[in-house]
């Protein structure tokens, strides 16, 4: 059951990072916030590559809230 939960939430997180139409998906932002630091950092960089001209979502913003981490 634990493995199924990890696959389900991990898969949903990956779909947010790699294929979401918007970086502001609430569920994706929440899952990214709970991800371990290395995964969260990778996810933020992937989102930045995909959405360079948009403001970063919560958890991927720098101290000013307008720049990517």
């Amino acid at each position: 059951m634990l493995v199924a939960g990890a696959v389900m939430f991990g898969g949903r997180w990956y779909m947010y990072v790699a294929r979401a139409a918007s970086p502001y998906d609430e569920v994706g932002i929440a899952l990214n916030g709970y991800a371990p630091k290395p995964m969260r950092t990778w996810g933020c960089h992937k989102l930045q590559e995909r959405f360079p001209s948009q403001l970063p979502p919560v958890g991927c913003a720098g101290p000013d809230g307008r720049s990517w981490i």
Side-chain angles (χ1 to χ4, degrees):
M1 187 157 194
L2 183 62
V3 172
V7 168
M8 184 176 74
F9 289 112
R12 176 63 176 92
W13 170 81
Y14 182 78
M15 292 302 291
Y16 164 65
V17 170
R19 301 189 187 272
S22 166
Y24 309 118
D25 176 68
E26 293 177 12
V27 175
I29 290 171
L31 291 174
N32 197 47
Y34 287 117
K37 177 84 170 149
M39 286 177 62
R40 186 172 47 240
T41 301
W42 180 84
C44 288
H45 289 298
K46 186 75 170 170
L47 287 168
Q48 184 180 15
E49 287 175 9
R50 296 182 56 234
F51 304 103
S53 62
Q54 294 186 8
L55 292 174
V58 175
C60 291
D64 63 357
R66 301 184 62 80
S67 61
W68 291 83
I69 56 170

